[in-house]
Amino acid sequence: MTEARSGPTSNIWSRRTWAALLFGLSLLTVLVHGYHPLAEDGGLYVAGVEYTLNHALFPYYTGFVREHLGYSLFAPMVAAIVQLTHLSLAWVLLFVDLFSVWLTLFAARQLLRRCIASEPAQLAGIALLGAWWTMPVASTALLLMDPYVTARSLSTPLSILAIAFALDDWPPARWLASSLRWCGLFLAIAAALHPLMATYALAFVIVVRASRLRRRALAWAVLAAAATVVAAAVQAFAPPESPALLEAILTRSYWFLSQWQWYELFGLAGPLIVLAAILRWRNNKLSSSAHVLCQTCFVLGMVATFNVLLFAHESASVHLLAKLQLLRIYLLIYAVMIMLLGASFWQLSSDAGKRVPSLQSTLRFLSVALILSMAAVMFFVQRQDFPASTHVELPWRADRNTNPWVQAFFWIRQNTPQDALFALDARYINTEGEDAQTFRAIALRSAIPDFSKDGGEASITPSLALLWQQGARAQKDLSGQNDTVRDPRLRALSATWMVLHSAAVTVHPCPYDNGTVKVCRLTNAR
């Protein structure tokens, strides 16, 4: 990659220094925020990789495993790495996670060096990004970055790299300028991994380029109007929704601003307020690229929010625009806000120290202490989110995980037939102490669709909606029912095994019980 051709830059620190700093920060980021490769959406993506490696897995309800394989190359890419390296999937996931963390911090460096000349200030912005790694992005059900591997783990840093090169000057006579080529390449790779997030990265790049025009206000107005027209057309021509699909859609409350709490709305205004404060108090100190980034965030944030308010309603006849989750653009807005905030705070401390030299060391110490304290808070939050699981789930310690649900899932992997079909409580993944560990990815067995994660798949895939509705209803309060109620529901769906709370009453044999959860075989099934 070429050096930035616009915006401030400095070369006080060598490439080796930066390489060491980014490597060290990457390790610290993982240690602070943890690593849970089979939890939450990580488990959904991993199940897709496992299916890609072995199509004999998940013979029932396979659509919930392979649904995302049709539009993302993430699972085939990870599967190819496993096959080429002959490493286990667990090791490959760990390496991909570490690489994604390093790539994100590297991308942050590429963006900040175009905005801020001071390398210590750049480092402060990158360090704050690492400290706030798992910050929730408003109430969009997204984290800034996840403590597990998904397609977003790679599409996010690729998007930031594309934005960084979009900040460079593109000579009008050179349509294939180096920065343009790099920008296009990173967007293309991001699109191959996560088309939706890459679309929002493309929107960010377009607005960045528009913000460099002489008549940028007019360009913003045209783009905002075009976005609203496209949104209206998408909503107008959306296909009708079945009752099952509508039920799945309405389980995604975060799609609808009307269902957000008042304090959750601050998650939309907060980043823009911070960026406005940076522009107000650091206006003369900011480069043109930093101004462009702030302006881009304002435009995209307001346009996305306006269109969501206009079209994404629970009562709408169709909900295609709600499915597109326009507020996901805030993931990039949060990233920019955090990087500029960290760098600006360091610069503010340095400027104050120059006016009062005796305070310079104290202010810099306070800047470092503030970042470290924020990292400590995020470490505490992550421990609360995964209280029953090892903080960093390393491959060689997988069988030592003290989470009783994970222990049960591993027992199932080793002691039940591959063609078994399991039933679990519809909301098992939200059970206290389960830590959102996903059944399919750990147990390598088919499962009847659950309410939470499979509901997300069904809400964007109409063909899965009816299967999800039937499965979620059949497994509602599974452990709280008796066999008389439970058995007919599960046998109608051809289930052969159940995962129940240990206190659940059943006459079926339960060869595994760890005091929290038990695994029971449905007799006379099928």
Side-chain angles (χ1 to χ4, degrees):
M1 298 180 195
T2 60
E3 295 293 315
R5 287 189 291 274
S6 67
T9 184
S10 61
N11 297 290
I12 300 173
W13 296 348
S14 67
R15 291 185 178 181
R16 289 184 179 180
T17 300
W18 270 109
L21 288 170
L22 294 180
F23 178 76
L25 282 174
S26 299
L27 294 179
L28 287 173
T29 298
V30 173
L31 291 175
V32 168
H33 298 278
Y35 173 62
H36 308 283
L38 305 180
E40 295 281 4
D41 287 357
L44 301 183
Y45 278 94
V46 171
V49 177
E50 291 165 337
Y51 176 77
T52 303
L53 290 168
N54 180 4
H55 279 23
L57 293 174
F58 315 118
Y60 305 101
Y61 296 101
T62 313
F64 290 92
V65 176
R66 68 185 184 194
E67 182 272 330
H68 63 275
L69 300 180
Y71 59 83
S72 172
L73 294 181
F74 175 81
M77 179 195 73
V78 176
I81 295 173
V82 171
Q83 293 169 331
L84 290 172
T85 62
H86 301 289
L87 294 171
S88 69
L89 176 57
W91 277 101
V92 169
L93 290 172
L94 177 61
F95 290 141
V96 172
D97 183 70
L98 289 171
F99 173 72
S100 71
V101 175
W102 174 87
L103 184 62
T104 304
L105 300 183
F106 173 79
R109 152 73 172 151
Q110 293 302 311
L111 186 142
L112 284 172
R113 65 196 291 271
R114 288 160 166 80
C115 301
I116 295 166
S118 168
E119 288 184 310
Q122 295 169 22
L123 181 60
I126 296 168
L128 186 60
L129 183 67
W132 279 347
W133 194 253
T134 50
M135 171 184 281
V137 177
S139 284
T140 61
L142 288 181
L143 300 181
L144 184 65
M145 292 294 284
D146 302 308
Y148 41 79
V149 179
T150 69
R152 289 192 306 275
S153 302
L154 296 173
S155 69
T156 298
L158 290 168
S159 298
I160 295 173
L161 282 170
I163 294 167
F165 282 97
L167 290 171
D168 289 345
D169 291 327
W170 294 356
R174 294 178 58 195
W175 294 106
L176 293 179
S178 176
S179 293
L180 173 58
R181 292 199 303 269
W182 282 112
C183 181
L185 175 64
F186 291 133
L187 284 175
I189 300 174
L193 295 170
H194 201 306
L196 182 61
M197 296 308 297
T199 300
Y200 297 138
L202 175 61
F204 210 109
V205 167
I206 291 172
V207 178
V208 163
R209 298 310 303 172
S211 300
R212 287 198 170 278
L213 297 176
R214 182 174 301 176
R215 303 182 68 179
R216 56 180 176 272
L218 177 61
W220 294 337
V222 170
L223 289 173
T228 303
V229 169
V230 170
V234 166
Q235 191 73 356
F237 293 101
E241 297 163 351
S242 67
L245 178 58
L246 178 60
E247 183 178 335
I249 288 170
L250 294 180
T251 65
R252 310 296 105 178
S253 59
Y254 55 89
W255 287 4
F256 308 104
L257 278 178
S258 61
Q259 295 195 26
W260 289 25
Q261 300 297 322
W262 67 267
Y263 55 84
E264 293 175 321
L265 296 174
F266 183 74
L268 299 181
L272 303 185
I273 292 172
V274 170
L275 290 169
I278 291 173
L279 280 177
R280 170 67 178 84
W281 299 108
R282 304 292 298 168
N283 186 57
N284 295 332
K285 303 285 185 178
L286 293 177
S287 68
S288 61
S289 293
H291 277 92
V292 164
L293 279 178
C294 293
Q295 293 163 356
T296 298
C297 290
F298 294 143
V299 172
L300 289 171
M302 289 187 289
V303 170
T305 303
F306 174 75
N307 279 283
V308 168
L309 287 170
L310 202 59
F311 299 111
H313 301 284
E314 307 97 305
S315 58
S317 58
V318 290
H319 300 85
L320 183 54
L321 199 75
K323 290 183 188 182
L324 295 177
Q325 302 176 66
L326 298 184
L327 294 180
R328 283 189 167 208
I329 192 70
Y330 267 83
L331 186 145
L332 294 173
I333 294 174
Y334 267 63
V336 169
M337 180 270 293
I338 291 169
M339 287 184 279
L340 291 181
L341 177 63
S344 297
F345 190 78
W346 182 272
Q347 284 188 315
L348 186 64
S349 302
S350 298
D351 292 345
K354 289 176 183 178
R355 291 193 296 270
V356 186
S358 60
L359 290 178
Q360 186 161 352
S361 297
T362 301
L363 291 172
R364 288 182 175 178
F365 172 79
L366 289 175
S367 299
V368 173
L370 183 61
I371 293 174
L372 291 176
S373 64
M374 291 176 179
V377 169
M378 295 304 295
F379 173 82
F380 174 78
V381 170
Q382 284 303 298
R383 291 307 303 133
Q384 300 309 302
D385 286 345
F386 296 92
S389 300
T390 306
H391 184 56
V392 179
E393 298 181 43
L394 297 170
W396 62 88
R397 299 183 61 188
D399 57 349
R400 302 179 196 174
N401 196 314
T402 56
N403 186 319
W405 289 82
V406 173
Q407 293 173 351
F409 296 167
F410 272 118
W411 184 90
I412 289 168
R413 179 193 291 197
Q414 298 164 358
N415 296 277
T416 63
Q418 190 170 292
D419 65 348
L421 175 58
F422 277 80
L424 300 91
D425 188 277
R427 297 178 183 265
Y428 82 93
I429 208 164
N430 304 117
T431 303
E432 184 178 355
E434 204 277 341
D435 288 1
Q437 300 282 358
T438 53
F439 173 82
R440 292 190 189 97
I442 300 173
L444 299 183
R445 296 294 181 267
S446 296
I448 297 172
D450 74 330
F451 178 87
S452 303
K453 289 301 175 184
D454 290 332
E457 298 288 347
S459 67
I460 59 176
T461 310
S463 61
L464 299 177
L466 184 59
L467 292 175
W468 166 80
Q469 184 185 61
Q470 294 170 344
R473 289 180 177 179
Q475 297 174 107
K476 184 178 181 180
D477 191 25
L478 196 68
S479 292
Q481 303 296 332
N482 57 41
D483 288 336
T484 303
V485 175
R486 192 165 44 216
D487 287 7
R489 293 180 180 178
L490 301 186
R491 287 188 175 125
L493 299 178
S494 301
T496 54
W497 291 78
M498 301 180 293
V499 177
L500 303 173
H501 293 288
S502 289
V505 177
T506 181
V507 299
H508 296 291
C510 301
Y512 180 87
D513 188 341
N514 61 22
T516 298
V517 60
K518 60 186 177 183
V519 182
C520 306
R521 182 168 55 85
L522 273 165
T523 53
N524 301 321
R526 291 187 193 162

